[in-house]
Amino acid sequence: MLFLNAVIETVIVILIVIGVFFTLLSAIGLIRLPDVYSRTHAAGKSATLGVMTIMVAAFLYFMSQGIVNAKILLAILFIFMTAPLSSLMVNRSAYRSGVPLSKNTIGDDLKERYED
Protein backbone atom coordinates (compact mmCIF):
# COMPACT_ATOMS: atom_id res chain seq x y z
CA MET A 1 0.00 0.00 0.00
CA LEU A 2 2.83 2.39 0.83
CA PHE A 3 4.54 1.62 -2.48
CA LEU A 4 1.31 2.26 -4.40
CA ASN A 5 0.88 5.66 -2.72
CA ALA A 6 4.44 6.59 -3.61
CA VAL A 7 3.86 5.64 -7.25
CA ILE A 8 0.62 7.64 -7.41
CA GLU A 9 2.30 10.68 -5.84
CA THR A 10 5.17 10.40 -8.32
CA VAL A 11 2.74 10.27 -11.26
CA ILE A 12 0.89 13.30 -9.88
CA VAL A 13 4.12 15.27 -9.53
CA ILE A 14 5.19 14.33 -13.07
CA LEU A 15 1.81 15.44 -14.46
CA ILE A 16 2.02 18.74 -12.62
CA VAL A 17 5.54 19.38 -13.91
CA ILE A 18 4.43 18.58 -17.47
CA GLY A 19 1.43 20.89 -17.09
CA VAL A 20 3.56 23.71 -15.74
CA PHE A 21 6.02 23.21 -18.61
CA PHE A 22 3.32 23.51 -21.26
CA THR A 23 1.71 26.48 -19.54
CA LEU A 24 5.09 28.22 -19.31
CA LEU A 25 5.73 27.39 -22.97
CA SER A 26 2.40 29.00 -23.81
CA ALA A 27 3.28 32.14 -21.87
CA ILE A 28 6.64 32.40 -23.62
CA GLY A 29 4.89 31.92 -26.97
CA LEU A 30 2.49 34.76 -26.18
CA ILE A 31 5.42 37.07 -25.52
CA ARG A 32 7.82 36.00 -28.26
CA LEU A 33 5.72 35.17 -31.32
CA PRO A 34 5.31 37.91 -33.94
CA ASP A 35 1.60 38.19 -34.71
CA VAL A 36 -1.84 37.53 -33.28
CA TYR A 37 -2.25 34.33 -35.30
CA SER A 38 0.87 32.68 -33.91
CA ARG A 39 0.10 33.88 -30.41
CA THR A 40 -3.39 32.45 -30.33
CA HIS A 41 -2.07 29.19 -31.73
CA ALA A 42 0.42 28.98 -28.86
CA ALA A 43 -2.22 29.84 -26.30
CA GLY A 44 -4.82 27.52 -27.76
CA LYS A 45 -2.69 24.42 -28.01
CA SER A 46 -0.06 24.38 -25.30
CA ALA A 47 -2.08 26.14 -22.61
CA THR A 48 -4.92 23.69 -23.15
CA LEU A 49 -2.58 20.74 -22.77
CA GLY A 50 -0.95 22.32 -19.71
CA VAL A 51 -4.21 23.01 -17.91
CA MET A 52 -5.58 19.59 -18.77
CA THR A 53 -2.57 17.73 -17.38
CA ILE A 54 -2.69 19.77 -14.17
CA MET A 55 -6.39 18.96 -13.82
CA VAL A 56 -5.73 15.26 -14.45
CA ALA A 57 -3.15 15.44 -11.65
CA ALA A 58 -5.76 17.04 -9.37
CA PHE A 59 -8.26 14.32 -10.29
CA LEU A 60 -5.70 11.60 -9.49
CA TYR A 61 -4.85 13.26 -6.19
CA PHE A 62 -8.47 13.31 -5.06
CA MET A 63 -8.97 9.79 -6.38
CA SER A 64 -6.03 8.57 -4.25
CA GLN A 65 -7.78 10.13 -1.24
CA GLY A 66 -10.93 8.15 -2.03
CA ILE A 67 -12.88 11.05 -3.51
CA VAL A 68 -14.24 10.80 -7.06
CA ASN A 69 -14.88 14.33 -8.31
CA ALA A 70 -16.90 14.41 -11.53
CA LYS A 71 -16.63 18.19 -11.71
CA ILE A 72 -12.93 17.93 -12.52
CA LEU A 73 -13.65 15.45 -15.30
CA LEU A 74 -16.30 17.77 -16.74
CA ALA A 75 -13.92 20.71 -16.55
CA ILE A 76 -11.27 18.71 -18.43
CA LEU A 77 -13.82 17.81 -21.09
CA PHE A 78 -15.06 21.39 -21.50
CA ILE A 79 -11.54 22.82 -21.67
CA PHE A 80 -10.62 20.18 -24.24
CA MET A 81 -13.61 21.16 -26.38
CA THR A 82 -13.71 24.94 -25.98
CA ALA A 83 -10.16 26.28 -25.70
CA PRO A 84 -8.85 25.26 -29.16
CA LEU A 85 -12.14 26.30 -30.74
CA SER A 86 -12.04 29.72 -29.11
CA SER A 87 -8.47 30.31 -30.33
CA LEU A 88 -9.60 29.35 -33.84
CA MET A 89 -12.47 31.84 -33.64
CA VAL A 90 -10.14 34.60 -32.42
CA ASN A 91 -7.83 33.85 -35.37
CA ARG A 92 -10.69 33.94 -37.87
CA SER A 93 -12.07 37.15 -36.38
CA ALA A 94 -8.66 38.80 -36.53
CA TYR A 95 -8.23 37.71 -40.14
CA ARG A 96 -11.65 38.92 -41.23
CA SER A 97 -11.18 42.28 -39.53
CA GLY A 98 -7.91 42.83 -41.42
CA VAL A 99 -5.19 42.27 -38.82
CA PRO A 100 -2.00 41.95 -40.90
CA LEU A 101 0.04 38.76 -41.02
CA SER A 102 3.66 38.72 -39.94
CA LYS A 103 6.31 39.66 -42.52
CA ASN A 104 7.71 36.14 -42.24
CA THR A 105 4.43 34.47 -43.22
CA ILE A 106 4.92 32.33 -46.31
CA GLY A 107 1.38 31.43 -47.34
CA ASP A 108 -2.10 32.79 -46.82
CA ASP A 109 -4.51 29.87 -47.14
CA LEU A 110 -7.57 31.91 -46.21
CA LYS A 111 -7.06 34.62 -48.84
CA GLU A 112 -9.06 32.79 -51.50
CA ARG A 113 -11.86 31.99 -49.11
CA TYR A 114 -12.45 35.51 -47.83
CA GLU A 115 -11.81 37.55 -50.97
CA ASP A 116 -14.62 39.94 -51.78
Side-chain angles (χ1 to χ4, degrees):
M1 185 70 170
L2 186 62
F3 176 73
L4 182 62
N5 286 339
V7 169
I8 292 172
E9 287 180 7
T10 305
V11 169
I12 291 169
V13 168
I14 289 171
L15 286 173
I16 290 173
V17 168
I18 290 171
V20 167
F21 171 74
F22 280 115
T23 306
L24 179 66
L25 192 67
S26 175
I28 292 170
L30 285 174
I31 294 170
R32 301 280 307 204
L33 291 173
D35 59 356
V36 68
Y37 308 106
S38 303
R39 289 177 184 159
T40 55
H41 181 74
K45 304 295 186 231
S46 60
T48 301
L49 188 59
V51 169
M52 283 178 45
T53 55
I54 291 172
M55 293 185 81
V56 167
F59 178 76
L60 289 176
Y61 172 76
F62 286 119
M63 190 117 163
S64 69
Q65 303 295 321
I67 303 168
V68 177
N69 196 344
K71 291 178 186 176
I72 295 176
L73 290 177
L74 285 174
I76 292 169
L77 178 70
F78 290 138
I79 287 172
F80 179 72
M81 291 185 333
T82 60
L85 183 63
S86 64
S87 69
L88 172 71
M89 291 296 113
V90 168
N91 270 344
R92 292 287 172 102
S93 299
Y95 188 83
R96 292 184 83 172
S97 65
V99 176
L101 297 167
S102 172
K103 294 178 229 172
N104 299 330
T105 302
I106 297 171
D108 186 0
D109 294 337
L110 292 176
K111 188 174 187 177
E112 303 167 355
R113 185 174 187 166
Y114 292 117
E115 282 183 343
D116 292 330

